[in-house]
Amino acid sequence: RYLATLTSPATETSTSLTQASTNLTSTLALLRDAREKFDTAADCEPSIDRLYRGAKDLVETRNRRDRPSNIYNVPNDTSSIIDGIGRRIFNDDDTMTVATLNGTIVGLTEQDVYAAADSLEILRDAHVFFHERSSWKSSKGALTNIERVHQLGVDGMCNLIKCHLHHTGPAIRIKRALTLLRNADDATIDTRGVSTIATNTTFGTRKLGGPMNSYALETARDTRERLSAALQNRDLMKSVGEYEESLPLDTRTVRELRAMFECLGGNGCFLNPATKPSAESILKELSKHQAAAAKVSRTEKIGSGYYTKLSMKNLESGYPHLDAYAEARRTIAYNAMQLFYRQLRDERKKEWDKTASSGRDMAELESGELDSSARDAVRCLEHAMVIVAGEKSIYRCVVSPTSSHNHDTSKVPLEYKYALVASYSSVCSAVVDRVLDIIELFFVKDAALRNTLPNASSSNLNEGMSLGSDLLSHGTNASAVPSVRFAASAAAAGLRILDAVRMLGPSLAKLCEMASNKLQLQRVDSVGSVTSKDSSSTLASNLCIAVHRMTVKNVGKALENLALSVKHDPISGEKFRPQDASVAPLTSDAVRAIRLVSPFVSAYKSVTKRRPLPWDPKVGDAAGEMDFFIRYLIMSLLANLQAKGTAYAQDPGPVAEAKSHLFLVNNTYYLSEQLKYNYIPESSAPILLNIQEDIDGNDFKIRGEWFSDQVNKLFVNSKKKYLQYWDSLNEYLRDVANGQLTYTNPEQKLLTLESGRLLKARFSGFNDTFERMYESHRHLTIFDSKLREIIISDVKNTFLPRYEQFFSIYSKYQFSKKNMDDYLKYRPDKVGDMLSNMFVS
């Protein structure tokens, strides 16, 4: 017991000493770790400072070397860039990015980027260490220092990301099939690796004036067939545009960008996940860069280069590296779209000036200009698809987390996925937004759809459809209605754009989406609560929907304008109602209009599915086809022609009413012939005013019975009324009763005075009436030679057989002693010859 009392304190003391030794060891380790953590900022700052300064000076150096005449500013030979004393100050190769720092050359190598990325990882660990020991007096100062150095590194990486992605140029290159010669027609080509962009290039012609680019001369039918075939073969991107997507990044730049995005991705740009902004605040900030498809509306002036201010805002996702990516690539993508549009516009202006000075008809020039503008709008839409496809390749190559070798989807925060989608959408939205402005500018400026026509309501369009109604009774100002020719060209041009939007729109929207869009991401509503939302409704996707909606709306207006222009074509005036009763310009223009719009059956259906029209108030599948619109145009045309025919009767002169009916005969016959109505087969009727114009729907014909009923009925009735004027000659050709003829000398058939006066009155009345009618009718115009033969034959059949019989019987009588030759001067064969030479063809 005594010995136990002596050894127990020693054992307890030994245990305490052992524990003390363990505690001292842990304390020493903690002090060692703390010393290392305290030195973290100082150890990491040199590599981070080198990255920051190198990136900053790299940006300044590249900005200084930029050529002001080139948007992309990428010289072909970087070795030729030297300073004022002949010393090279910039050079790019696969190993080093050289810049100047305070007069000394500083090389920012690839290893410097990796070192900075490692330093940021070390700083994050140190920040977590001191944040867990915030009770230490020195922790506050250490945290402040670490945060400063970390922010410097993040800023340096963001500057380098922005510099690389901005100065690498557009992710497109000219298709190899389209051979653009350097310096041909003042054209220059700038390259960056495999990326190629042409500046100040004449896209439509070669230096020697020959055709170079088939897209610049493509018709609506060519475009439709090309795109339809590409959609069926599922190789749309190979057939779209004059450019093709290309990755403009070299291998070293790709490695650097991937390293920086991997370093900053997820929560990497934040020092401590515990101190980063909440997911709700990030999602709420990102929701400011979105808008529902139904709420996307124009906020900027038409032609300003922008459609909505949402696409102009810099992204503030809470992830600075994504913001830097979005800002850099949005600028490049927008400039690529803007440069292409300006080139097309300048080329079109040169062509306009050239053709306008040639003395060609201005109406024909305007029609061609509308079609050229629509073609260029479609080319811009195709170019936008190529640009977006190129931007998608850049995103997938360096931005997307899947580009990392150690990617793990489960470790990527949900809000970061949402920010990735928003950053890519920000880039795409700049391109789609520019296309929106280009297309709407066409409708407002070129197609003149800025102002709604007065009283252009549905009820007004439906009124006055009966033939012979007063077309201008609704107070519509004729001067506010465009010409039929212009309205038809505008409608056809709009349908051409809608045709392309209809076929390319879904593919463009798909390009604007990413695989992560299929996730059920979250959004923050107005009260701050988090709700689920399908992220496919990004700004870029909704702008694609807005392109289709805006095009449908404007095409509907253009079709209504065409209907109004036919319906309200002015009644009076030599320009609108020819004095020779020939075919009115309205008729030939209406035929041309029907031929122009008839090929766009699918595009027209896209309008009626979503927009009620005055002649077809139904929407969706219940809406009518193109035949509804063509029938409306024909009925409006016939009503206007009848109003013009009625106006002839108010003209002075004895032939006014006859001109009214002959006018309708001319126009209905022309209408039947041009739309392949087989009233008279094998007609040689020309297309008035359009002989040189190659129209896609030249073989279009109307097969409906309503057309033959309406047009044939009006033709037959008008011809019958016209022949009634010649039928008046039969009043003088009635048989004379035998009791009315008495003779003074029966053997010589010498009539008495009273009987002679009777025959004199008949022959003189016929002669005077025939002379008067012949002189007034022979200068009238029948445009078609076969119609002229028909009318002359019908005129002859109206009275000539009876005249021949009358002449053969009563010319044998001696009813005048001295003037028999005067009364018999128009022998039947002479009358026939005179009638055969009647009318101007």
Side-chain angles (χ1 to χ4, degrees), residues 39 56 271 408:
D39 295 338
K56 182 179 178 181
L271 275 171
D408 186 357

Side-chain angles (χ1 to χ4, degrees), residues 413-439:
L414 184 63
E415 59 272 17
Y416 186 69
K417 294 179 181 179
Y418 198 14
L420 286 169
V421 172
S423 64
Y424 178 70
S425 173
S426 177
V427 177
C428 298
S429 63
V431 180
V432 182
D433 180 90
R434 186 68 187 99
V435 172
L436 256 172
D437 185 65
I438 291 172
I439 295 178

